[in-house]
Amino acid sequence: MYRFLAGIIITLIIVGIVQYCTYRNDQKQEINMNSALIQQQIQQVGKLIVTEGHFSQVLSYRNTKKNYLDIFSANKKALVIINAKVTIGYDLRKIKTQIDETNQVVQLTYIPEPEVNIYPDLEYYDVSQDYLNQFGAEDYNKIKDRVTQLIGEKIDQSDLRENAKGQLLGELSKIYILTHAMGWTLQYQEDTIRSYDELERLRF
């Protein structure tokens, strides 16, 4: 009788150990599968997203040069018509992440800054210049710098940056939806993202 009971107890212990090991193995496999799926999603998000805009501006350029003890002056001027294409983009291939399988946490450690590119098309009208003050490379560089400044101001007054950020959030939301569905936690640096609204409020 004693041996019979001992055999039952040993059998139950063995069955319990086997079930526990099986559960742990299945759980480990599930975590590995989830981790691989999350990594795949992050790789799919890793692309260049670009918002494009077009701006027009008229710039009047004038330069006066004094000669002969400031008695005489030589002038040059031009009317510049500016048509510029502007792109603002995020290279999401530069996103840095860390995956903590033990605690089931995906951490976004770095989101790249937006890349702003300005492609100006300049047309010169009403160009006039005196013999002693003619257009040169320095003038064109000054005009180019002024154009960049003017278009930069227009970008800041427009909704291009917000549109680009909206596209960025659309891509990041794919990671949030996936991690949330799997019961994982998404963090940006040290902040835990518990909803899409919190994702929208992130500063980057």
Side-chain angles (χ1 to χ4, degrees):
M1 185 66 177
Y2 173 76
R3 291 181 179 179
F4 177 73
L5 291 174
I8 292 176
I9 293 172
I10 291 172
T11 301
L12 291 174
I13 292 174
I14 293 174
V15 171
I17 292 173
V18 171
Q19 289 180 341
Y20 176 76
C21 291
T22 302
Y23 169 76
R24 292 287 294 179
N25 185 54
D26 290 344
Q27 187 181 43
K28 181 64 176 176
Q29 288 181 352
E30 182 182 0
I31 290 175
N32 288 339
M33 288 176 59
N34 288 348
S35 177
L37 187 58
I38 290 170
Q39 288 176 339
Q40 182 182 11
Q41 180 64 63
I42 292 173
Q43 289 175 354
Q44 290 177 351
V45 166
K47 60 185 178 182
L48 180 65
I49 56 174
V50 177
T51 297
E52 183 176 308
H54 296 269
F55 297 94
S56 296
Q57 180 79 38
V58 177
L59 171 66
S60 178
Y61 177 78
R62 183 181 181 90
N63 177 271
T64 300
K65 182 179 180 181
K66 298 293 185 178
N67 299 288
Y68 304 111
L69 301 176
D70 292 342
I71 298 175
F72 301 102
S73 62
N75 299 311
K76 55 186 169 185
K77 64 178 182 177
L79 189 66
V80 185
I81 307 299
I82 307 160
N83 289 294
K85 183 179 79 172
V86 175
T87 62
I88 300 180
Y90 290 88
D91 189 349
L92 301 187
R93 293 166 294 188
K94 297 179 181 179
I95 285 181
K96 296 180 181 179
T97 60
Q98 290 181 352
I99 297 179
D100 183 351
E101 294 183 353
T102 302
N103 297 307
Q104 297 186 16
V105 173
V106 177
Q107 188 176 46
L108 302 172
T109 59
Y110 174 75
I111 297 176
E113 294 289 327
E115 300 175 0
V116 180
N117 294 297
I118 301 175
Y119 306 96
D121 179 21
L122 308 181
E123 296 184 19
Y124 292 83
Y125 294 91
D126 193 25
V127 178
S128 64
Q129 55 189 346
D130 292 336
Y131 178 77
L132 296 178
N133 189 14
Q134 299 190 15
F135 275 93
E138 183 180 355
D139 297 291
Y140 294 111
N141 287 334
K142 286 182 179 179
I143 292 173
K144 183 178 179 180
D145 291 342
R146 180 57 180 155
V147 166
T148 301
Q149 180 185 352
L150 288 172
I151 299 301
E153 292 171 356
K154 281 185 169 289
I155 292 173
D156 292 337
Q157 295 168 3
S158 73
D159 56 1
L160 269 184
R161 291 185 185 274
E162 286 301 315
N163 290 343
K165 185 177 179 180
Q167 290 193 53
L168 169 64
L169 290 173
E171 296 299 324
L172 295 180
S173 68
K174 297 177 183 178
I175 301 176
Y176 166 73
I177 292 171
L178 183 62
T179 53
H180 183 70
M182 291 179 172
W184 286 50
T185 300
L186 180 64
Q187 292 182 341
Y188 174 58
Q189 297 179 348
E190 300 299 326
D191 297 325
T192 298
I193 302 170
R194 299 180 179 85
S195 67
Y196 184 76
D197 289 339
E198 290 186 0
L199 183 63
E200 285 187 314
R201 288 195 293 268
L202 290 179
R203 295 184 177 274
F204 45 74

